[in-house]
Amino acid sequence: MIATFVWILVALVAVGLYLSWTAGRLDRLHARIDAARAALDAQLLRRASVAQELATSGVLDPAASIVLYEAAHAARQSEEDQREVAESELSQALRAVFAETDQVEAVREAPGGEAAARELTEAVRRVPMARRFHNDAVGAARRLREHRKVRWFRLAGHAPFPLAFEMDDEPPAALVDRAA
């Protein structure tokens, strides 16, 4: 009788440790999502700021400046529920403005243009990487949260279900090709 009780107690402790370890893993994944989201937000803000700065520099023609400025401004001022759309529109505006290598060369030839073009190139290259890191962390947390043990024992607590950040992040070919 006592041996059975001891074995039941050992089994309950083992299950409790396993559930505790799983909850800790889920908590670490949520922290990783938060860190990846902060990095993504920083890269998106950097890209919008560089685009806005370039649009107001006078290097671009007036029509391109207006298109780029409005898209960058909308991306910086967008609410969270409209952020993906605004960032996608900024990507489209960047591709439209820098569709031709002539526009990139004109920017590079202007005073301070080489540094501005380099900074914009770095910004548009880092956004897809930051988004990929964020979405990978979201995918890992979602896979863990789909397990029955996590749902049954409510190991996720009150943490919101993680959502991927879906946007058009393709960089302008003329800008990236020139830098490569």
Side-chain angles (χ1 to χ4, degrees):
M1 178 77 170
I2 292 179
T4 306
F5 180 71
V6 169
W7 282 112
I8 291 173
L9 187 63
V10 168
L12 286 175
V13 168
V15 168
L17 287 173
Y18 178 70
L19 291 175
S20 175
W21 175 80
T22 303
R25 181 172 170 230
L26 190 57
D27 186 51
R28 287 188 301 277
L29 282 172
H30 282 152
R32 189 171 131 206
I33 289 171
D34 291 342
R37 181 58 188 241
L40 175 61
D41 287 342
Q43 292 305 322
L44 292 171
L45 180 62
R46 180 173 182 239
R47 181 181 74 151
S49 297
V50 170
Q52 203 169 21
E53 185 178 311
L54 189 60
T56 58
S57 68
V59 173
L60 302 173
D61 63 84
S65 292
I66 291 172
V67 167
L68 194 56
Y69 180 83
E70 287 180 354
H73 182 71
R76 289 182 72 179
Q77 300 298 321
S78 64
E79 295 294 325
E80 191 61 34
D81 59 338
Q82 293 296 316
R83 183 99 187 262
E84 294 171 350
V85 173
E87 294 294 346
S88 293
E89 289 173 354
L90 177 56
S91 295
Q92 293 165 2
L94 285 166
R95 282 196 307 273
V97 169
F98 295 106
E100 302 293 327
T101 55
D102 297 341
Q103 185 74 298
V104 176
E105 292 304 321
V107 169
R108 290 185 188 280
E109 291 170 2
E114 186 68 36
R118 185 174 43 254
E119 192 174 355
L120 182 61
T121 301
E122 289 174 8
V124 299
R125 282 185 174 179
R126 288 180 180 169
V127 166
M129 286 188 293
R131 189 175 75 86
R132 195 168 19 259
F133 288 141
H134 175 266
N135 288 349
D136 288 347
V138 166
R142 281 180 159 186
R143 283 188 296 277
L144 184 59
R145 285 182 72 151
E146 288 172 355
H147 290 182
R148 273 183 255 158
K149 65 181 176 249
V150 173
R151 290 191 319 253
W152 287 351
F153 292 102
R154 299 181 183 188
L155 298 181
H158 296 289
F161 194 75
L163 299 174
F165 194 87
E166 298 300 330
M167 64 172 272
D168 173 8
D169 61 2
E170 183 181 337
L175 189 64
V176 176
D177 289 345
R178 169 68 167 77

